[in-house]
Amino acid sequence: MSTVSVAVVIVAAGLGTRLGHPVPKAFVEVGGRSLLAHAVDRVVQVPGVDQVVVVVPDAFVEDTWALLDTPLLTVVSGGADRTASVAAGLSVLVEHVDVVLVHDAARCFTPPDVFEAVVAAVRSGDVAVVPGLPVIDTVKEVDADGLVRRTPARASLRAVQTPQGFDRVTLDRAHASGTSATDDAALIEALGLPVRVVPGSDLAFKVTTPDDLDRAHAVLTTSTTTTSTTTTSTTSRSAR
């Protein structure tokens, strides 16, 4: 079996105005490090990743090269919207990449095993794969006047996350179509191709509002405390 090469395009070009910070969202810090740096930390733990492309606002390209320390890194300027930013990332992929993951820097605590599950599904033959969680709220579809049109069956709904994984040829084809969408899976859907959903993670939440940023601080604090406790316990047992 031939080796499959994986690249991850991290979209970090949004301004994140709802977060209320003077710097773009991906550069807001949690625990002394940017959301983008936390995201890259997890990406480089994923086996088989050969290239990490970070798409940032033009004014932050040089800062990003200095901020991130990995030999896998490529940094490019973003476009006018998310689709254009992803296209900018795709344009600098190395030739041998077969599988492309598109990830939001704002989902900075997504565990490496979610990435691995997405990659495994693409390697198994799915052209597009997204992680998702069951929707726990009842969702209503409403019209322009605010009137309910229908209530979708909750069991069939998923809250979709990133990374979203794709066969490279299929994703290139989707972007060549000229369609714009809020996520890349929608571009694949527009081609009439199937999109597989695999289990996501509660840790893959998206930092969008100040409340989300508070949650990110809490997650990092909990993670740090757990790691410290485990290390102390291991050291104590070793000293006996």
Side-chain angles (χ1 to χ4, degrees):
M1 181 181 295
S2 60
T3 301
V4 176
S5 179
V6 180
V8 182
V9 176
I10 302 179
V11 185
L15 297 179
T17 54
R18 283 176 287 180
L19 201 55
H21 277 254
V23 296
K25 178 168 58 178
F27 296 89
V28 174
E29 292 190 351
V30 175
R33 305 187 72 230
S34 68
L35 299 182
L36 175 58
H38 285 296
V40 171
D41 284 349
R42 284 146 184 82
V43 168
V44 297
Q45 296 177 44
V46 180
V49 172
D50 291 333
Q51 185 180 17
V52 179
V53 179
V54 178
V55 187
V56 298
D58 185 65
F60 284 80
V61 170
E62 293 303 320
D63 288 343
T64 303
W65 278 111
L67 175 69
L68 303 175
D69 181 21
T70 170
L72 306 177
L73 185 67
T74 304
V75 183
V76 295
S77 300
D81 58 20
R82 189 183 190 283
T83 301
S85 291
V86 174
L90 297 179
S91 72
V92 297
L93 293 184
V94 293
E95 184 177 352
H96 63 272
V97 164
D98 303 295
V99 176
V100 182
L101 304 188
V102 180
H103 187 47
D104 294 328
R107 299 186 187 272
C108 57
F109 295 127
T110 303
D113 60 2
V114 174
F115 289 83
E116 293 179 48
V118 171
V119 171
V122 178
R123 284 177 168 164
S124 295
D126 289 306
V127 297
V129 181
V130 300
L133 294 176
V135 173
I136 60 174
D137 295 317
T138 296
V139 177
K140 303 288 186 182
E141 180 182 329
V142 301
D143 62 20
D145 296 321
L147 299 176
V148 173
R149 298 183 59 185
R150 70 186 187 95
T151 303
R154 190 169 59 186
S156 68
L157 300 177
R158 296 293 182 272
V160 172
Q161 303 172 326
T162 69
Q164 300 186 350
F166 307 91
D167 164 73
R168 180 181 182 174
V169 173
T170 303
L171 186 58
D172 284 341
R173 176 186 164 197
H175 275 269
S177 70
T179 304
S180 185
T182 55
D183 77 347
D184 292 88
L187 301 179
I188 304 300
E189 294 168 43
L191 295 178
L193 298 175
V195 177
R196 174 81 60 189
V197 179
V198 297
S201 169
D202 288 333
L203 290 175
F205 66 95
K206 188 175 184 180
V207 177
T208 302
T209 67
D211 285 344
D212 298 326
L213 193 59
D214 289 342
R215 182 180 177 187
H217 281 285
V219 167
L220 186 62
T221 299
T222 301
S223 174
T224 301
T225 301
T226 301
T227 301
S228 176
T229 301
T230 302
T231 300
T232 301
S233 177
T234 301
T235 302
S236 176
R237 287 197 301 270
S238 298
R240 291 175 184 172

